[in-house]
């Protein structure tokens, strides 16, 4: 709403903010609802990733583990409980926690990068930059590239222009 | 969330840009490094863990304990990211409830049991809302336990609400100036978007690196008159 008039119409759909403050008609609130639901789903998907990575590690370390999807859901609930506890009980410490997370983030980057690069057999540069595999059976490699890009976009940005996407493996 | 930050109009964009630069540089360099370290790509895709990056770690280090440790770092960062996501999501929901934009706004906007309608979350985290939040998240998570084995949960991604607002005294002036009838455009946009709730296929190589990002770049700019 605090934008040049030429882009105000377009941006009002993106920012999700109603330009009629105090209005209670539902048609003006739909962008806001999408925004709110999107954030809720983002939080749930963050917890889902943590839970399924934990499950993957269990599979790695105990090959006789009977993988069940509801185990992942319960782990997800545990992650959410931790997050909500941190947000309610020690919420005043949140800025300091974020500082600690930043330090862990940077140290963790090196903790993963250094063993990986030092100990792995290095591939060839032509493979890395020119080899494109289409294992999913898509019509063209370009389409497969954009399909794969979606996961990376989610990881780096956390948000996308799509309102809603549900995923199945091809 | 910008309401709780001192000197928000400079600090928030600065932190947005720093986080983008930092995560962009680190993420891109990690991507190139991991691509160089992929050995047997068929084995990585077929991994029983469900995440190719764990298989890459195992192939690179040839040790299950070491790769578990490396993946644990990622899990810890992911849990911290989830804490940040829950914080943002709850504050977003609470501010919409405060503006009466959601159903049950009266209950969602309560900050403490005795005083409904406080306009700040600095000292009073919204308890009711966080309880509602946890219920909502648990309900959304049940999507993941679907019948189909390869069914992934929905990823509703939204655009970040631009929280940098001018002081209250200026807001009413600006709102009166910006009064326009955008209803037809709204209806058109909703009608365009709703049929696009489509099934998109997932990526075959799910290399995931979760930065604990709080904020992204603003979509519009605050113009000082």
């Amino acid at each position: 709403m605090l934008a040049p008039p030429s882009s105000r119409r377009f941006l009002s759909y993106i920012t999700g903010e109603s330009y009629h403050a105090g209005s209670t008609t539902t048609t003006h609130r739909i962008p806001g609802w999408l925004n709110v639901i999107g954030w809720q789903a983002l939080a749930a998907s963050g917890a889902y990733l943590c839970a399924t990575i934990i499950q993957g590690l269990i599979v790695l370390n105990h090959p006789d583990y009977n993988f069940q999807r509801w185990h992942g859901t319960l782990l997800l609930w545990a992650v959410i409980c931790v997050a909500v506890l941190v947000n309610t009980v020690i919420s005043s410490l949140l800025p300091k926690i974020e500082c600690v997370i930043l330090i862990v983030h940077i140290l963790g980057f090196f903790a993963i990068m250094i063993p990986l690069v030092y100990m792995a057999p290095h591939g060839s540069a032509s493979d890395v930059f020119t080899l494109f595999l289409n294992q999913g059976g898509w019509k063209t490699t370009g389409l497969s590239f954009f399909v794969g890009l979606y996961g990376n976009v989610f990881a780096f940005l956390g948000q996308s222009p799509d309102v809603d996407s549900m995923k199945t493996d091809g | 969330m910008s309401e709780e930050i001192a000197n928000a109009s400079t600090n928030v964009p600065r932190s947005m840009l720093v986080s983008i630069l930092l995560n962009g540089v680190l993420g891109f360099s990690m991507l190139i490094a991991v691509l160089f370290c992929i050995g047997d790509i068929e084995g990585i895709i077929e991994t029983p863990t469900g995440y190719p990056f764990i298989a890459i770690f195992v192939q690179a280090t040839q040790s299950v304990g070491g790769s578990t440790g490396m993946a644990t770092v990622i899990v810890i960062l992911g849990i911290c990211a989830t804490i940040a996501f829950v914080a943002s999501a709850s504050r977003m929901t609470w501010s919409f409830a405060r503006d009466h934009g959601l159903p049950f706004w009266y209950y969602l906007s309560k900050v403490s049991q005795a005083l409904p309608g406080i306009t700040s979350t600095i000292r009073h985290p919204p308890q009711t809302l966080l309880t509602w939040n946890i219920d909502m998240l648990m309900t959304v998570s049940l999507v993941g336990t679907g019948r189909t084995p390869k069914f992934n949960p929905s990823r509703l991604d939204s655009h970040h609400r631009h929280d940098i607002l001018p002081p209250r005294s200026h807001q009413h002036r600006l709102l009166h100036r910006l009064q326009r009838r955008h209803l037809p455009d709204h209806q058109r946009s909703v009608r365009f978007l709703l049929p696009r709730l489509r099934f998109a296929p997932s990526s075959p190589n799910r290399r995931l690196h979760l930065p604990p990002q709080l904020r992204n770049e603003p979509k519009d700019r605050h113009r000082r008159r």
Side-chain angles (χ1 to χ4, degrees), chain A residues 1-5 8-9 11-17 19-21 23-24 27-50 52-54 56-57 59-61 69-70 73 76-77 79-84 86-88 91 94 98 101-102 104-106 108-109 111-113 115-117 119-125 128-129 133 135 138 147-148 150-152 154-169, chain B residues 22-23 26-27 29-30 32-37 41-42 45 48-49 51 53-54 57-58 60-61 64 67-68 70-71 73-75 77-80 82-89 92-93 96 101-103 125 127 130 132-134 136-138 140-142 144-145 149-162 164 166 174-175 178-183 185-186 189-190 193 197-203 206-213 216 219-223 225:
Chain A
M1 304 313 115
L2 312 164
R8 238 171 252 166
R9 279 191 185 181
L11 291 172
S12 68
Y13 308 135
I14 294 177
T15 59
E17 190 166 326
Y19 38 79
H20 292 280
S23 163
T24 52
T27 47
H28 291 234
R29 294 296 164 182
I30 288 173
W33 288 1
L34 290 177
N35 206 345
V36 166
I37 293 172
W39 271 102
Q40 297 289 327
L42 179 66
S45 61
Y48 171 78
L49 286 168
C50 297
T52 43
I53 293 176
I54 293 173
L57 290 176
V59 167
L60 186 66
N61 284 293
R69 298 189 61 82
W70 58 268
T73 302
L76 189 156
W77 289 3
V79 173
I80 289 175
C81 285
V82 166
V84 171
V86 168
N87 271 298
T88 50
S91 60
L94 209 59
E98 299 284 345
I101 291 170
L102 177 67
V104 170
H105 182 58
I106 295 180
F109 170 78
I112 290 173
M113 177 88 109
L116 191 66
V117 171
M119 300 178 77
H122 289 196
S124 65
V128 167
F129 291 108
L133 295 175
Q135 308 284 52
W138 297 104
V147 166
Y150 194 88
N152 283 327
F154 167 72
F156 283 115
L157 300 182
Q159 301 168 356
S160 84
D162 279 346
V163 169
D164 184 323
S165 299
M166 296 178 74
K167 296 184 162 196
T168 57
D169 277 343
Chain B
L22 192 65
N23 285 299
L26 292 181
S29 51
M30 177 69 88
I32 302 289
V34 166
L35 282 176
F36 268 104
C37 297
I41 198 155
E42 294 290 335
I45 291 173
T49 60
Y51 284 97
F53 74 90
I54 302 179
F57 291 164
V58 173
T61 59
V64 168
S67 52
T68 306
M70 288 158 75
V73 172
I74 293 180
V75 167
L77 288 174
I79 292 176
C80 300
T82 307
I83 294 172
F85 290 153
V86 167
S88 287
M92 181 81 70
T93 316
F96 269 104
L102 297 173
Q127 307 282 0
L130 278 161
W132 177 84
N133 208 1
I134 200 177
M136 171 88 175
L137 288 170
M138 287 184 175
V140 172
S141 71
L142 289 174
T145 53
K150 300 282 191 175
F151 191 76
N152 289 328
S154 63
R155 291 216 185 113
L156 276 172
D157 300 327
S158 74
H159 291 277
H160 186 73
R161 180 187 172 200
H162 181 56
I164 301 174
L174 278 168
L175 281 167
L178 300 169
Q179 285 274 340
R180 272 189 185 199
R181 292 293 167 260
H182 289 298
L183 189 54
D185 300 309
H186 253 290
S189 75
V190 168
L193 286 172
L197 304 180
R198 61 185 180 276
F199 285 81
S202 73
S203 56
R206 292 180 62 197
R207 189 210 148 260
L208 294 157
H209 182 71
L210 286 173
Q213 270 184 326
N216 280 326
K219 298 285 185 186
D220 51 353
R221 294 254 173 269
H222 168 52
R223 296 281 169 119
R225 297 295 168 93

Side-chain angles (χ1 to χ4, degrees), chain B residues 1-19 162 164 214-216 218 224:
Chain B
M1 219 179 210
S2 311
E3 301 160 344
E4 308 170 19
I5 297 172
N7 202 11
S9 49
T10 32
N11 284 339
V12 173
R14 190 178 294 161
S15 63
M16 285 185 192
L17 289 173
V18 165
S19 75
H162 181 56
I164 301 174
L214 271 183
R215 303 163 190 98
N216 280 326
R224 293 203 178 275

